[in-house]
Amino acid sequence: MTDTATTAAGRTPLVALTDVAKSYGNVRALHGVSLDVHAGEITCVLGDNGAGKSTLIKIIAGLHPHDAGTYTVEGEEVRHASPREALDRGIATVYQDLAVVPLMPVWRNFFLGSEPTRGRGPLRRLDTATMRATTRDALLRMGIDLRDVDQPIGTLSGGERQCVAIARAVHFGAKVLVLDEPTAALGVKQSGVVLKYVAAARDAGLGVVLITHNPHHAYLVGDRFVLLKRGAMSGSHLKKDITLDELTREMAGGSELDELTHELSRTPAAPEAAAAAEPETTA
């Protein structure tokens, strides 16, 4: 559901999906999903495996078109034909695998596909000095101080690679940053570092979509929460309207969790049965 009160107040979302649906043959992957992404805010999309998070990412990123509903960018209805078209509209997506070349240096990966050049004709060559300096400056502006931008990006930790990808999106003018489970394979400390830079992207004025199955990480940085279950929305909340415990409980299934807890709880043995189970002692 779009936040009509906020929209009525005069804030047009950077991205808005309304009752979006997507099917693959007879398989309904998404149905009736709505969300708003505002500048300077983080919209968290939560759900377990199979909830429809990946399909939602692909629609926002322009990889797959939606079958029903509306998708607007800054108030204009769109139907992206490719990820490049979405990127041209300022929507950058960082997937879990990051699409980096491990053996290439950090600066080379930072400019991968957008390399500046010097000279003309047969003398045209990569402007490596500019790329090195720009990469270093862009990372420092995000508060990322790498040891050396010449080191292969594969030697960085998972958290550091995520941070480089975030800084790259900010540098190249993204308005909306979509992050696919950025903390999924990371430890507690690295997850904290990544969330710090997710918040930095928000503070830089970007609208952020954070896809995650971890309600604790979402609640640390999120402003809005959309919960998916089996391809449909099971909840949509502003942070001021929900606590972490309520968010965790709603994501876990609420009444389903209560039923499971009851099934798994131990029933105390009756006193007579407990006494009968005790071995007799001999004097």
Side-chain angles (χ1 to χ4, degrees), residues 3-99:
D3 185 0
T4 53
T6 304
T7 304
R11 297 181 60 203
T12 301
L14 292 175
V15 163
L17 273 63
T18 306
D19 293 329
V20 163
K22 178 66 181 178
S23 296
Y24 299 98
N26 294 327
V27 178
R28 190 173 68 175
L30 282 183
H31 176 70
V33 174
S34 301
L35 62 83
D36 286 350
V37 183
H38 289 266
E41 290 187 1
I42 298 174
T43 298
C44 298
V45 179
L46 299 103
D48 290 325
N49 292 337
K53 303 190 303 296
S54 295
T55 302
L56 184 63
I57 291 174
K58 290 170 183 174
I59 291 173
I60 297 174
L63 190 61
H64 291 173
H66 53 290
D67 296 333
T70 58
Y71 176 5
T72 64
V73 177
E74 296 184 284
E76 179 186 351
E77 188 168 345
V78 299
R79 180 176 289 273
H80 293 140
S82 68
R84 170 55 65 180
E85 192 173 313
L87 189 59
D88 290 341
R89 290 181 178 270
I91 300 170
T93 304
V94 178
Y95 295 98
Q96 268 182 285
D97 58 13
L98 296 178

Side-chain angles (χ1 to χ4, degrees), residues 143-207:
I144 306 168
D145 188 9
L146 291 183
R147 295 177 294 277
D148 183 8
V149 295
D150 278 303
Q151 69 186 103
I153 199 168
T155 63
L156 302 182
S157 67
E160 288 174 325
R161 290 197 296 272
Q162 286 282 354
C163 295
V164 170
I166 293 170
R168 183 185 190 277
V170 173
H171 173 75
F172 282 101
K175 297 177 182 178
V176 175
L177 179 62
V178 184
L179 299 169
D180 175 21
E181 300 270 12
T183 62
L186 304 181
V188 174
K189 185 175 181 181
Q190 287 194 35
S191 294
V193 171
V194 171
L195 292 175
K196 173 184 172 184
Y197 295 117
V198 171
R202 173 201 63 199
D203 295 342
L206 277 71

Side-chain angles (χ1 to χ4, degrees), residues 196-254:
K196 173 184 172 184
Y197 295 117
V198 171
R202 173 201 63 199
D203 295 342
L206 277 71
V208 180
V209 181
L210 176 63
I211 310 293
T212 182
H213 63 270
N214 190 319
H216 293 82
H217 291 171
Y219 203 79
L220 280 172
V221 296
D223 299 290
R224 300 162 183 267
F225 307 101
V226 173
L227 291 95
L228 298 182
K229 183 177 181 181
R230 297 176 184 174
M233 291 179 66
S234 60
S236 179
H237 308 280
L238 297 177
K239 188 170 188 175
K240 64 183 179 63
D241 297 329
I242 193 169
T243 66
L244 173 58
D245 288 343
E246 290 169 341
L247 183 66
T248 304
R249 179 180 174 78
E250 189 168 331
M251 183 180 170

Side-chain angles (χ1 to χ4, degrees), residues 100-180:
V100 297
V101 183
L103 296 180
M104 282 187 175
V106 173
W107 62 265
R108 190 72 173 83
N109 276 277
F110 193 88
F111 279 91
L112 199 61
S114 303
E115 296 87 347
T117 58
R118 301 176 62 184
R120 295 181 180 180
L123 297 178
R124 189 177 180 185
R125 62 194 183 281
L126 293 178
D127 191 350
T128 56
T130 295
M131 285 191 279
R132 283 191 177 93
T134 302
T135 300
R136 191 176 296 108
D137 291 344
L139 294 177
L140 285 174
R141 280 197 301 273
M142 289 287 292
I144 306 168
D145 188 9
L146 291 183
R147 295 177 294 277
D148 183 8
V149 295
D150 278 303
Q151 69 186 103
I153 199 168
T155 63
L156 302 182
S157 67
E160 288 174 325
R161 290 197 296 272
Q162 286 282 354
C163 295
V164 170
I166 293 170
R168 183 185 190 277
V170 173
H171 173 75
F172 282 101
K175 297 177 182 178
V176 175
L177 179 62
V178 184
L179 299 169
D180 175 21

